[in-house]
Amino acid sequence: MKPDLSNALVAAKTLLGWRLMHDSPLGLTVGYIVETEAYSSDDAASHSFQGITQRTKIMFGPAGHLYVYFTYGMHHCINVVTGPKGNGQAVLIRALQPTLGQELMAARRQRTNQLELMNGPGKLTQAMGINGEHNGEMLLSQGPIRLLSGLTPKHITQTTRIGISHARDEPWRFYITDNTFVSKR
DNA sequence: GTCCTGATCCTCT
DNA sequence: GAGGATCAGGACG
């Protein structure tokens, strides 16, 4: 079973309720995807807007790969590449609900509050042990980081994206309604 | 709860 | 050289 990654907007909604798994040397961590943002090819807020660069070339590759970038001098964020090859779309994973490996997540995060393990894009990469080494990983095969089917959310809330200065009025952020593990309501 | 700030460095112009 | 798809902690109320 594979998610519909034909375009970023569809994929951002589809991926809610899917699980992200990382089978690392230290142990297994898994969480439900509860919050996403879509970044399209003609989107001024997208890293791909300026065209292919060393950093963004993964975004222009085939769908289903992991795009990892480093921001604010200290945080990694992860995206699922979507759309046709050469188009430059992706879905940012903003929050996960922990389901397996909470002890390892807590150790990596130096936090024990379950709600604060992965309720933000920088937090979840730290909790899951994902960094720049994983840029380009294939998520739909038997690699160390994978997408697994999960639940179908009852209700989805659509709203504007967080932390951007361009295209800030576009309602391209999605989260599972009433889920307590999202980054912000 | 809200607001403000410092930390810290990669990427592209 | 500027800016960034962030986070945590402190001040304040």
Side-chain angles (χ1 to χ4, degrees), chain A residues 129-151:
Chain A
I130 298 174
N131 56 52
E133 296 171 21
H134 303 105
N135 192 31
E137 288 279 357
M138 187 15 148
L139 302 173
L140 306 178
S141 58
Q142 302 301 100
I145 305 176
R146 291 181 224 170
L147 282 170
L148 308 171
S149 61
L151 304 167

Side-chain angles (χ1 to χ4, degrees), chain A residues 20-80:
Chain A
L20 186 70
M21 181 206 84
H22 183 199
D23 190 0
S24 84
L26 295 180
L28 194 62
T29 47
V30 184
Y32 286 113
I33 297 173
V34 299
E35 179 180 346
T36 59
E37 287 180 2
Y39 286 84
S40 304
S41 47
D42 56 349
D43 174 2
S46 175
H47 290 173
S48 60
F49 192 67
Q50 308 294 337
I52 301 180
T53 66
Q54 186 59 225
R55 178 174 65 152
T56 62
K57 60 186 180 185
I58 298 292
M59 281 184 82
F60 290 87
H65 287 267
L66 188 70
Y67 167 49
V68 185
Y69 69 90
F70 184 71
T71 193
Y72 290 109
M74 63 189 79
H75 298 294
H76 293 279
C77 298
I78 57 171
N79 294 245
V80 178

Side-chain angles (χ1 to χ4, degrees), chain A residues 35 37 39 44-47 69 71-72 77 92 94 121 160-170 173 183-184:
Chain A
E35 179 180 346
E37 287 180 2
Y39 286 84
S46 175
H47 290 173
Y69 69 90
T71 193
Y72 290 109
C77 298
L92 172 68
R94 282 196 57 89
T160 51
R161 295 176 293 183
I162 293 179
I164 53 171
S165 48
H166 298 288
R168 54 167 55 150
D169 295 330
E170 300 291 354
R173 171 174 174 243
S183 66
K184 194 181 173 192

Side-chain angles (χ1 to χ4, degrees), chain A residues 110-124:
Chain A
Q110 308 271 310
R111 290 264 180 305
T112 53
N113 184 343
Q114 296 288 300
L115 290 172
E116 294 181 4
L117 288 178
M118 304 206 285
N119 63 336
K123 300 179 190 181
L124 71 90

